[in-house]
């Protein structure tokens, strides 16, 4: 009797989906069965030394326990010139220095950064309603900086030995703001 009830509910649910009363999630399910839920999304402040960069980045906790960061948000926060072509499943550009080129080709499953090439592991790049969501450990490798996501504290801590261009730009803006115009 219980099985018949479950079948009837499943048939009714399928009918509602076909009729358009219930819509499917906007994102494509990932191979491991994970589909991002916007209700479980985090907004992380991006911190580099004593600076807060940009308006934050959106992130998701993945089934494997890692954090994936919305790639477009990450690029905007760091002011990194990269082009993302979602239809071709490719992204390319450079990070912090023109000679540090990064090419991510999700369709062929490969990424090159600097003089290094690697195969994309499953779950490294995920499709979400916001665009690509990339594993934070992979972003650390590709960009040559340390990323420490802390969803409990709503922060993404960046560490770099050298000052990053976005950091230098903020310092220039602060120095400029302190300059008083001469009075005549």
């Amino acid at each position: 009797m219980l099985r018949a009830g479950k079948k009837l509910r499943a048939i009714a649910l399928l009918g509602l989906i076909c009729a358009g009363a219930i819509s499917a999630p906007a994102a494509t399910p990932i191979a491991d069965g994970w589909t991002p839920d916007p209700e479980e999304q985090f907004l992380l402040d991006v911190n580099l030394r004593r600076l807060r960069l940009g308006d934050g980045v959106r992130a998701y906790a993945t089934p494997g326990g890692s954090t994936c960061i919305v790639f477009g948000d990450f690029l905007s926060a760091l002011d990194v010139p990269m082009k993302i072509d979602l239809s071709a499943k490719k992204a390319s550009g450079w990070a912090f220095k023109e000679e540090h080129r990064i090419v991510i080709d999700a369709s062929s499953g490969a990424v090159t950064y600097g003089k290094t090439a690697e195969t994309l592991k499953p779950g490294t790049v995920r499709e979400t309603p916001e665009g690509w969501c990339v594993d934070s450990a992979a972003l650390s490798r590709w960009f040559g900086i340390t990323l420490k996501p802390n969803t409990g504290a709503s922060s993404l801590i960046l560490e770099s030995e050298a000052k990053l261009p976005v950091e230098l730009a903020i310092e220039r803006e602060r120095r400029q703001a302190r300059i008083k115009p001469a009075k005549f």
Side-chain angles (χ1 to χ4, degrees):
M1 184 80 160
L2 185 61
R3 287 186 186 167
K6 284 186 179 181
K7 281 185 181 179
L8 286 175
R9 283 194 300 272
I11 291 170
L13 183 62
L14 182 60
L16 288 171
I17 290 171
C18 290
I22 299 175
S23 63
T28 306
I30 307 305
D32 60 8
W34 179 75
T35 301
D37 180 358
E39 294 296 320
E40 295 180 3
Q41 184 180 83
F42 295 93
L43 179 60
L44 308 178
D45 289 333
V46 181
N47 299 301
L48 174 64
R49 297 180 228 294
R50 294 184 195 169
L51 301 174
R52 182 170 173 222
L53 306 179
D55 295 325
V57 296
R58 292 167 287 179
Y60 291 95
T62 62
S66 65
T67 302
C68 75
I69 298 167
V70 174
F71 194 48
D73 292 356
F74 179 76
L75 297 177
S76 293
L78 291 175
D79 196 24
V80 174
M82 288 190 72
K83 179 183 175 192
I84 304 170
D85 185 345
L86 292 176
S87 60
K89 296 187 176 199
K90 290 185 179 184
S92 61
W94 52 275
F96 316 130
K97 298 184 252 180
E98 284 190 60
E99 56 272 4
H100 186 79
R101 304 227 16 106
I102 300 173
V103 178
I104 305 163
D105 189 344
S107 61
S108 71
V111 63
T112 56
Y113 52 99
K115 295 180 181 181
T116 306
E118 69 181 48
T119 302
L120 283 175
K121 295 177 182 153
T124 301
V125 176
R126 299 170 180 268
E127 292 182 22
T128 67
E130 303 83 19
W132 281 0
C133 195
V134 181
D135 181 72
S136 60
L139 288 174
S140 286
R141 280 192 316 279
W142 302 346
F143 284 79
I145 59 176
T146 302
L147 277 72
K148 295 180 180 178
N150 184 341
T151 56
S154 297
S155 67
L156 176 64
I157 307 297
L158 306 180
E159 295 176 356
S160 170
E161 288 180 22
K163 287 190 176 185
L164 301 180
V166 67
E167 186 177 9
L168 295 170
I170 291 170
E171 287 177 358
R172 283 191 302 273
E173 288 172 7
R174 288 181 176 173
R175 282 193 305 271
Q176 180 183 8
R178 288 193 306 254
I179 297 173
K180 308 257 189 244
K183 293 182 182 181
F184 293 100

Coordinates of all heavy atoms in Angstrom, one line a residue, residues 16 19 52 56 58 69 85 97 100 107 124 176 179-180:
L16 N 3.2 17.5 -12.7 CA 3.3 18.9 -12.4 C 4.6 19.5 -13.1 O 4.5 20.6 -13.7 CB 3.5 19.1 -10.9 CG 2.2 18.9 -10.1 CD1 2.5 19.0 -8.6 CD2 1.2 20.0 -10.5
A19 N 3.7 19.8 -16.8 CA 2.8 20.9 -17.0 C 3.4 22.3 -16.8 O 2.8 23.3 -17.1 CB 1.6 20.7 -16.1
R52 N 40.0 45.1 2.2 CA 38.8 44.3 1.8 C 38.6 44.6 0.3 O 38.5 45.8 0.0 CB 37.6 44.7 2.6 CG 36.4 44.0 2.2 CD 35.2 44.2 3.2 NE 34.1 43.6 2.6 CZ 32.9 44.1 2.6 NH1 32.7 45.3 3.2 NH2 31.9 43.5 2.1
G56 N 32.8 41.3 -2.4 CA 32.7 40.0 -2.0 C 32.5 39.0 -3.1 O 32.4 39.4 -4.3
R58 N 30.6 35.1 -4.2 CA 29.6 34.1 -3.8 C 30.3 32.7 -3.9 O 31.2 32.6 -4.7 CB 28.4 34.1 -4.8 CG 27.6 35.4 -4.6 CD 26.6 35.5 -5.8 NE 27.4 35.9 -7.0 CZ 26.8 36.2 -8.1 NH1 25.5 36.0 -8.3 NH2 27.5 36.5 -9.2
I69 N 34.1 28.7 -5.6 CA 33.9 30.2 -5.6 C 33.5 30.6 -7.0 O 34.0 30.1 -8.0 CB 35.3 30.9 -5.3 CG1 35.7 30.5 -3.8 CG2 35.2 32.4 -5.4 CD1 37.1 30.9 -3.5
D85 N 33.9 32.4 -21.7 CA 33.0 32.1 -22.7 C 32.2 30.9 -22.3 O 32.7 29.7 -22.5 CB 33.7 31.9 -24.1 CG 32.7 31.7 -25.2 OD1 31.5 31.4 -25.0 OD2 33.2 31.8 -26.4
K97 N 50.5 39.3 -13.8 CA 51.6 39.7 -14.8 C 51.2 39.1 -16.1 O 50.6 38.0 -16.2 CB 52.9 39.0 -14.4 CG 53.5 39.5 -13.1 CD 54.8 38.8 -12.8 CE 54.7 37.8 -11.8 NZ 55.9 37.1 -11.5
H100 N 51.9 35.6 -17.0 CA 51.3 34.5 -16.2 C 49.9 34.3 -16.9 O 48.8 34.6 -16.3 CB 51.1 34.8 -14.7 CG 50.6 33.7 -13.9 ND1 51.3 32.6 -13.6 CD2 49.3 33.4 -13.5 CE1 50.6 31.7 -12.9 NE2 49.3 32.2 -12.8
S107 N 35.7 22.2 -21.8 CA 35.2 21.2 -22.8 C 36.2 20.1 -23.1 O 35.9 18.9 -23.3 CB 34.8 21.9 -24.1 OG 35.9 22.6 -24.7
T124 N 36.2 20.2 -10.3 CA 37.0 21.4 -10.2 C 36.3 22.7 -10.7 O 36.3 23.7 -10.1 CB 38.3 21.3 -11.0 OG1 39.0 20.1 -10.4 CG2 39.2 22.5 -10.9
Q176 N 46.5 59.4 -3.3 CA 45.9 60.4 -4.1 C 44.9 61.2 -3.2 O 44.8 62.4 -3.3 CB 45.3 59.9 -5.3 CG 44.7 61.0 -6.2 CD 44.0 60.4 -7.4 OE1 43.9 59.2 -7.6 NE2 43.6 61.3 -8.3
I179 N 46.4 63.9 -0.9 CA 47.0 65.1 -1.5 C 46.0 66.2 -1.5 O 44.9 66.0 -2.1 CB 47.5 64.8 -3.0 CG1 48.6 63.7 -2.9 CG2 48.0 66.1 -3.6 CD1 49.0 63.2 -4.3
K180 N 46.3 67.3 -1.0 CA 45.5 68.5 -0.9 C 45.8 69.4 -2.1 O 47.0 69.7 -2.3 CB 45.6 69.2 0.4 CG 45.5 68.3 1.6 CD 44.2 68.5 2.3 CE 44.2 67.8 3.6 NZ 43.2 66.8 3.7

